Amino acid sequence: PDGQAVLRVEELDVTYGRALSALRQVSLTVPPGAVVALLGANGAGKSTLLRAVSGTLRLHRGAVTAGRIRYGDTALDGQDPVAAVRAGVVQVPEGRRVFAGLTVDENLRAGGLGLGRRSPALVREARDRVFALFPRLAERTGQAAGLLSGGEQQMLAIGRALMAAPRLLLLDEPSLGLAPLMVERIAEVIREINAQGTAVLLVEQNAGMALSLADHAHVLEVGEVRLSGPAEELARTDAVRRLYLGET
Ligand code: ATP
């Protein structure tokens, strides 16, 4: 994987089934090492965009009907999660979908299966990195993932994605349903992951958190990009303050 690769989404259209248009003419880029936030209300199409980039659209009966997705030199077509992971692009799905019946360690090993084919040393390295980020997981390696707290499950979901050594991490609502302290902790972790060189495309309803982390942000409204700009600038616009930051 090329650590210097840029994610380019160009004029992307996505539909579900025959009729439902979920994204129209969506363009955005994620430069190497950047944090880019995607804001928008429920149903705006944020998760759809992440699914298209991670190649998991088909699992949701969606399809790219126009436009392009490229990560560096690799063309991603929205349908092939293995191609995306090989290129270094890994998604943490919404709702902390860990394997509840497996232990923490087994969940992490599942995330590292691709790396393991290259070398066990790479898996050990990735695991050490995850435990350095999440000491709580290191203390609970033998525990069933389903018995972890919500915040710990979110950590595990992120840790499992990191086991594939991504260059670009796609995060879908990591703060959803977590207590404020845990949201802060997750924000710190995202900052740390990014500081270690991983680019992040972050979908959030918590606009305050997302804008505090991001370099650049886009606002999606019913499938289209309505606003884009440096995160600090967007945080100052009236529309964003009123609609997404809850100010009056
Ligand atoms: P949320 O935060 O609620 O997940 P979102 O911005 O991520 O919202 P999406 O989940 O991407 O929005 O949904 C975009 C549109 O596509 C919505 O109208 C939604 O109902 C529709 N949609 C999403 N998934 C499917 C699916 N599997 N089949 C049909 N329609 C879908």
Side-chain angles (χ1 to χ4, degrees):
D2 177 1
Q4 296 306 306
V6 179
L7 175 73
R8 289 183 203 284
V9 175
E10 292 171 355
E11 299 172 347
L12 193 72
D13 288 2
V14 172
T15 58
Y16 288 106
R18 287 229 157 70
L20 198 132
S21 154
L23 294 179
R24 283 175 303 281
Q25 296 291 296
V26 168
S27 298
L28 60 83
T29 62
V30 182
V35 178
V36 173
L38 206 53
L39 311 178
N42 277 322
K46 306 179 299 296
S47 301
T48 299
L49 183 79
L50 291 194
R51 289 171 188 160
V53 175
S54 66
T56 55
L57 266 181
R58 196 167 45 185
L59 305 175
H60 301 271
R61 299 177 192 286
V64 171
T65 51
R68 286 161 303 279
I69 308 169
R70 301 191 64 80
Y71 184 63
D73 295 332
T74 310
L76 303 177
D77 65 358
Q79 313 282 25
D80 186 351
V82 176
V85 171
R86 285 219 177 102
V89 178
V90 179
Q91 178 169 6
V92 180
E94 188 176 354
R96 333 188 246 277
R97 253 171 248 125
V98 294
F99 302 116
L102 301 186
T103 65
V104 166
D105 196 45
E106 286 163 343
N107 269 274
L108 293 178
R109 274 195 270 165
L113 285 175
L115 271 190
R117 291 209 323 209
R118 280 194 271 153
S119 102
L122 283 179
V123 177
R124 276 196 300 275
E125 226 171 82
R127 212 158 153 273
D128 289 348
R129 184 180 173 215
V130 169
F131 287 152
L133 274 171
F134 302 112
R136 274 208 223 195
L137 295 183
E139 294 158 11
R140 290 166 173 75
T141 51
Q143 185 168 324
L147 299 179
L148 297 173
S149 74
E152 289 163 356
Q153 287 185 16
Q154 183 62 69
M155 292 176 182
L156 181 56
I158 296 173
R160 190 181 55 192
L162 291 177
M163 290 297 295
R167 305 310 306 160
L168 171 62
L169 189 65
L170 310 172
L171 282 167
D172 199 349
E173 307 255 13
S175 80
L176 194 70
L178 300 183
L181 260 182
M182 190 55 77
V183 173
E184 260 173 55
R185 177 74 196 109
I186 296 288
E188 274 167 30
V189 161
I190 294 170
R191 231 176 246 121
E192 212 164 314
I193 290 168
N194 178 245
Q196 293 172 5
T198 305
V200 177
L201 180 55
L202 172 65
V203 160
E204 262 298 336
Q205 301 237 9
N206 185 334
M209 175 221 196
L211 291 172
S212 76
L213 288 170
D215 304 298
H216 216 84
H218 304 272
V219 177
L220 272 183
E221 263 176 43
V222 280
E224 295 178 23
V225 176
R226 272 299 139 80
L227 276 174
S228 299
E232 293 163 25
E233 264 175 42
L234 278 196
R236 283 197 301 264
T237 61
D238 283 343
V240 169
R241 289 171 57 179
R242 217 163 11 88
L243 295 172
Y244 301 108
L245 295 174
E247 295 178 18
T248 47

